[in-house]
Amino acid sequence: GQTGKEIEPGVKIEIKRSTKPDKVEHFLVSPDGKLVAIQSPSQVKVVDLAGRIVHNALITYTYPPDFGFYPVDLHWTSDSSILFALPPREWNSSIYENPAPRTIWKCPLNGGSPIELQLVPPPLDDDYAISSDGKWIVYFYYPYSSLTDTDLAVTAGIYLGNLQDGTTKLMTSEE
């Protein structure tokens, strides 16, 4: 099937389903309106508005066979030059029961390879915000029961993460 969406007067985007009807896709239009990031159950790819693949398999991952669809969060920088993809660090059923720690993939679209950033402590679920310039992430972290003792020792609070060098600092704590 197709879905159409008018993004501004007279400009309509047509999204053609590129997977089987039983597969869910998650997509996000770039701020400049020229590209669409598409997440399927095995990869994130980028297409132009004509549906041509610009970046196939920008990042890939494997869902467990009996696992339900879990969206990878997608975020563009304001100039559409970098796409951030935030999949769970581990694909297992506990991400439905506990907060899912996220890995951050920084994908430059003007050349260069995707870079994996694993912040310590990690962002959880969708409790975060990425700056429009792609340099910072602010997120909430709290220890929960299924973590290791080392992870439980991390202070709960709001963290600032540097998306250029992967460093983090506690901004304010819940204690």
Side-chain angles (χ1 to χ4, degrees):
Q2 283 185 315
T3 59
K5 180 175 180 178
E6 190 168 72
I7 59 171
E8 60 184 59
V11 178
K12 188 174 184 181
I13 294 178
E14 295 289 335
I15 302 292
K16 296 178 182 174
R17 182 170 294 282
S18 61
T19 61
K20 297 176 184 174
D22 63 335
K23 301 292 182 186
V24 178
E25 290 182 314
H26 176 71
F27 49 90
L28 184 65
V29 177
S30 64
D32 66 7
K34 296 179 181 177
L35 301 171
V36 179
I38 301 173
Q39 180 223 349
S40 70
S42 63
Q43 68 175 312
V44 172
K45 61 185 169 189
V46 177
V47 299
D48 64 18
L49 296 184
R52 292 183 298 261
I53 294 174
V54 177
H55 294 279
N56 194 28
L58 197 55
I59 66 165
T60 60
Y61 37 82
T62 303
Y63 274 85
D66 59 343
F67 192 74
F69 187 78
Y70 192 91
V72 169
D73 290 344
L74 302 171
H75 298 274
W76 290 99
T77 54
S78 59
D79 65 1
S80 303
S81 67
I82 298 172
L83 175 67
F84 288 95
L86 287 88
R89 284 193 178 175
E90 293 182 28
W91 299 96
N92 58 48
S93 61
S94 72
I95 65 174
Y96 292 110
E97 300 160 9
N98 295 305
R102 299 285 184 152
T103 292
I104 301 171
W105 283 94
K106 181 179 178 180
C107 307
L109 298 178
N110 300 333
S113 299
I115 300 163
E116 182 180 12
L117 298 169
Q118 290 205 15
L119 302 181
V120 178
L124 300 175
D125 287 334
D126 58 1
D127 296 329
Y128 60 85
I130 294 177
S131 64
S132 62
D133 63 7
K135 294 180 180 177
W136 304 99
I137 182 171
V138 176
Y139 61 96
F140 186 68
Y141 177 84
Y142 55 93
Y144 55 94
S145 62
S146 67
L147 291 175
T148 65
D149 290 340
T150 304
D151 295 329
L152 290 171
V154 175
T155 303
I158 297 172
Y159 284 79
L160 176 67
N162 183 322
L163 295 174
Q164 296 181 353
D165 65 13
T167 58
T168 62
K169 75 175 186 176
L170 178 65
M171 294 175 58
T172 182
S173 73
E174 294 291 307
E175 300 171 356

